[in-house]
Amino acid sequence: MTVKESVLLLLEQQKGEFLSGQEIADKIFVTRASVWKAIKALQSEGYSIEAVTNRGYAIRQAPDVLSSVMIKAGLKEPYKSLEIKTEKSVDSTNTKLKYEVDLIKEKDMVLLAEEQTGGRGRLGRSFFSPNGTGLYMSLLLHPQIANDQGGLLTTAAAAAVAVAIEKISGESTQIKWVNDIWMRGKKVAGILTEASASLEAGHLEYAIVGIGINVIEPQEGFPEELQDIAGAIFSKDIHRENLRNQLAAEILNQFMEYYKHLEEKPFLQEYKKRSFVIGKNIKVIKANSSRKAKALEMDDSFQLKVQYEDGSIETLSSGEISIRL
């Protein structure tokens, strides 16, 4: 942890209270000059830190800037050891982690970015990822599960995101099979899971779970082609102090609880009760074609049973469906 991060964590832990420069220096084993430089750097980033002679420093307000320190401050004790890294801008958080996986070796980590210039969705689609309004986060994991169980990571992440959004926003969410989270009739989040499988060993070598969330409505709105589809959790005038860090921490707390017992599917009921496609008319999309169908049921393995217009029935273990509300 850098000096700046250590100072920020101390001030946040005692928010509203003054800490003298010497107190801070003693706690993190640096000089008072180093503390002063860290304070100036934080203020330049938008942190409202009050400095009063003979009293010290107190943080009054944190900007809505992604911060590994602020996210860790919101994590439950068992997960505070997670390595969390933030970037200003990346092509794609999933792609960046794929490039770095050999360097990271067997260590799990989380990468977040303020914006993605090439955000990716499922089936090669792009994911609109403007600066400062979304949560673009990828988790590099090394699960001890069979190759054919990788889909559990997607459904666990979908349930975790839905639950976390509800806790932060106070509003209800829905899940569109298999990986999209909806609010008020529009998509606000999607999950993209990519993995490297060992055919010889029969288990995953690693998996990258990408989570893209429209947290705050962009100032200029969504592009025309997305206006009927995409929504955001909050309007553009929401009070934003530390908002995305709080949401990121809540998602990680929820997901890691599920991840500990992945094969037992502790997220099954949370996922099922938010699923809204059962009984609905849908389109099943495969390659460059689609077929109209009715969603009949979803089993405990998250497989979706559908009936086509000709009466034939198929059970989908993965794929893409569309639905209009």
Side-chain angles (χ1 to χ4, degrees):
M1 192 180 294
T2 66
V3 173
K4 185 177 72 173
E5 291 172 336
S6 298
V7 170
L8 176 59
L9 182 59
L10 275 176
L11 292 176
E12 180 64 23
Q13 288 173 338
Q14 296 183 239
K15 189 171 183 178
E17 299 179 15
F18 282 92
L19 287 173
S20 72
Q22 190 60 57
E23 282 181 283
I24 297 172
D26 290 344
K27 286 178 182 291
I28 61 176
F29 305 105
V30 297
T31 64
R32 287 185 63 180
S34 296
V35 171
W36 182 83
K37 288 180 181 179
I39 294 290
K40 290 300 180 185
L42 289 168
Q43 288 173 330
S44 70
E45 292 176 9
Y47 289 90
S48 177
I49 299 175
E50 186 178 359
V52 177
T53 304
N54 296 325
R55 296 188 69 188
Y57 306 102
I59 190 167
R60 297 303 185 191
Q61 185 172 323
D64 189 35
V65 175
L66 292 177
S67 162
S68 58
V69 170
M70 301 297 268
I71 293 169
K72 281 194 173 187
L75 293 182
K76 295 179 181 178
E77 196 59 44
Y79 314 127
K80 287 187 180 293
S81 60
L82 265 175
E83 182 175 344
I84 299 176
K85 184 179 179 182
T86 61
E87 298 273 2
K88 293 290 186 185
S89 179
V90 299
D91 175 26
S92 154
T93 53
N94 267 32
T95 300
K96 186 171 178 61
L97 280 183
K98 285 169 73 174
Y99 286 144
E100 296 183 359
V101 70
D102 289 335
L103 300 174
I104 300 169
K105 300 299 181 186
E106 296 297 312
K107 189 170 186 178
D108 293 350
M109 74 165 293
V110 183
L111 174 66
L112 303 98
E114 288 285 356
E115 72 169 346
Q116 295 181 121
T117 57
R120 295 186 295 119
R122 298 181 75 237
L123 304 180
R125 299 190 185 98
S126 62
F127 187 89
F128 182 57
S129 312
N131 181 50
T133 63
L135 191 60
Y136 319 120
M137 173 168 67
S138 292
L139 291 77
L140 172 62
L141 305 166
H142 299 83
Q144 298 300 306
I145 57 174
N147 292 337
D148 61 0
Q149 292 183 303
L152 292 178
L153 293 166
T154 300
T155 47
V161 170
V163 171
I165 288 175
E166 290 179 3
K167 287 185 177 180
I168 296 295
S169 72
E171 293 188 56
S172 61
T173 62
Q174 295 175 302
I175 298 176
K176 181 178 82 69
W177 188 89
V178 63
N179 67 325
D180 292 341
I181 290 82
W182 286 36
M183 292 178 74
R184 308 176 214 102
K186 291 187 177 182
K187 176 181 173 178
V188 298
I191 317 295
L192 176 64
T193 301
E194 302 176 284
S196 175
S198 170
L199 297 179
E200 184 177 322
H203 62 75
L204 297 183
E205 293 180 328
Y206 69 84
I208 297 173
V209 180
I211 299 171
I213 306 175
N214 303 324
V215 181
I216 301 160
E217 183 185 358
Q219 198 64 37
E220 303 300 323
F222 290 98
E224 186 176 351
E225 66 272 16
L226 297 178
Q227 288 177 4
D228 292 336
I229 305 167
I233 302 172
F234 300 106
S235 65
K236 63 185 71 174
D237 57 355
I238 186 72
H239 178 62
R240 297 179 54 168
E241 182 181 3
N242 207 27
L243 181 61
R244 289 178 298 146
N245 290 323
Q246 292 177 34
L247 180 58
E250 194 61 56
I251 291 170
L252 290 173
N253 282 329
Q254 199 67 49
F255 178 80
M256 296 308 293
E257 287 292 312
Y258 295 155
Y259 183 61
K260 285 192 303 186
H261 307 285
L262 192 64
E263 293 176 273
E264 298 170 23
K265 305 172 192 171
F267 46 90
L268 176 62
Q269 294 308 314
E270 295 291 354
Y271 187 102
K272 272 192 166 185
K273 74 182 185 181
R274 291 174 176 81
S275 179
F276 67 96
V277 302
I278 306 305
K280 300 289 197 307
N281 292 321
I282 63 173
K283 284 184 180 179
V284 177
I285 302 168
K286 294 184 178 181
N288 296 319
S289 65
S290 65
R291 294 178 67 186
K292 291 182 179 180
K294 185 173 184 178
L296 300 179
E297 63 180 3
M298 186 179 69
D299 64 22
D300 288 353
S301 296
F302 301 97
Q303 296 184 110
L304 185 67
K305 182 184 286 188
V306 301
Q307 183 174 35
Y308 296 107
E309 289 182 306
D310 62 6
S312 61
I313 291 177
E314 183 179 10
T315 300
L316 307 173
S317 57
S318 62
E320 181 83 359
I321 65 170
S322 69
I323 183 172
R324 287 283 181 177
L325 293 185

